[in-house]
Amino acid sequence: VGIGTTSPSHLLHVDAGSGNAGVLIQSTSNTGAAELDLRSGDQSWSLSHQTDGDLVIYDRTRGAEIISFKSGSGNVGIGSSGPDKTLVVQASGAEVVIADTGTIPTLRFREGGATKGVVRTSGGDMQLYSGGSSAGNLAVTIDTSQNVGIGTTTPDNTLTVNGGVSISSSAPLIKFKDVDDNSFSRIYHSAGRLILDADHSDGTQQADSYMAFRVDDSTKMFITGDNKISGSSTSTGSFG
């Protein structure tokens, strides 16, 4: 059937020429939805304008709403019939995939039209930018070995920081744990004092533990657990 055309190319072909072509499906009742059903074989989908004003894409074969557009808010739900945010994805084991077949898949955050944050992958690395995605805005890189770089794109350890580090709390603390023997050491600051604490009792304390100070890969001083200080292997003295 052709409407506005003498040569219809489909079962129903509407041609408005240079104007707007429209088809109206209307329910004049507040209890009935306006629907367009699409069927192929035993598969059936519908586009439904609900009585509450929502627009729903419905999989009739599965008996489930797939995508909902909320009237008034404009919120979109995928697998959710009542999205309370701009986009809600809901399913058992829900996943969202961002794939780019040409360059770099990117998730961009904007405020007032200006980019304020970017998450993307590049060469297998995950990158977090503060501001735009120019090199000067790169904040964090997680490489394919799960090394984390702050201020660097080439972390060579579990955590690599290019810049200063500030640790603040009531008693800021750095703890070191040896996973081979479960021993602990700590560096912390308290009441104006900087304390270096080797072989702390939080872990499994070791016999003959000590603290060593090295310069140019050479040990210059030992402090042992029995209050001995040594500048070499042949000279020791007590203190404390």
Side-chain angles (χ1 to χ4, degrees):
V1 176
I3 300 177
T5 177
T6 59
S7 55
S9 59
H10 289 74
L11 292 177
L12 174 62
H13 184 165
V14 179
D15 188 343
S18 59
N20 296 323
V23 175
L24 176 63
I25 301 174
Q26 180 178 354
S27 173
T28 58
S29 170
N30 291 331
T31 60
E35 296 185 340
L36 175 64
D37 287 345
L38 306 172
R39 296 181 183 179
S40 177
D42 59 356
Q43 303 296 308
S44 178
W45 290 72
S46 70
L47 178 64
S48 176
H49 183 232
Q50 305 287 290
T51 56
D52 58 5
D54 294 352
L55 181 65
V56 174
I57 297 177
Y58 195 85
D59 183 350
R60 291 194 177 279
T61 305
R62 290 174 49 201
E65 291 186 10
I66 304 302
I67 303 178
S68 299
F69 302 87
K70 294 298 290 183
S71 175
S73 67
N75 293 342
V76 178
I78 300 177
S80 170
S81 61
D84 59 350
K85 300 298 181 185
T86 305
L87 175 62
V88 175
V89 179
Q90 180 177 310
S92 176
E95 293 186 8
V96 177
V97 176
I98 300 175
D100 191 311
T101 59
T103 54
I104 299 172
T106 300
L107 179 62
R108 191 177 300 270
F109 302 87
R110 289 178 175 166
E111 296 178 11
T115 297
K116 298 298 183 180
V118 173
V119 179
R120 72 180 195 180
T121 59
S122 179
D125 296 344
M126 178 70 73
Q127 298 176 333
L128 171 64
Y129 291 78
S130 177
S133 54
S134 62
N137 294 325
L138 179 61
V140 179
T141 297
I142 304 174
D143 69 13
T144 53
S145 299
Q146 288 75 57
N147 292 334
V148 178
I150 300 177
T152 176
T153 59
T154 55
D156 57 2
N157 248 304
T158 305
L159 175 63
T160 301
V161 179
N162 180 16
V165 177
S166 178
I167 302 175
S168 301
S169 73
S170 59
L173 168 73
I174 301 175
K175 180 183 286 189
F176 303 89
K177 177 183 178 181
D178 188 330
V179 296
D180 293 329
D181 57 23
N182 198 43
S183 60
F184 280 83
S185 292
R186 312 186 307 173
I187 300 174
Y188 66 100
H189 176 271
S190 178
R193 297 166 295 176
L194 180 64
I195 301 169
L196 283 69
D197 187 358
D199 203 21
H200 189 266
S201 60
D202 278 357
T204 303
Q205 292 185 298
Q206 306 296 304
D208 301 322
S209 58
Y210 60 84
M211 188 179 297
F213 295 84
R214 310 191 76 191
V215 179
D216 295 332
D217 295 326
S218 174
T219 301
K220 305 301 181 182
M221 183 174 70
F222 290 96
I223 301 176
T224 66
D226 56 354
N227 289 347
K228 293 291 193 301
I229 184 169
S230 172
S232 70
S233 59
T234 58
S235 63
T236 61
S238 299
F239 67 96

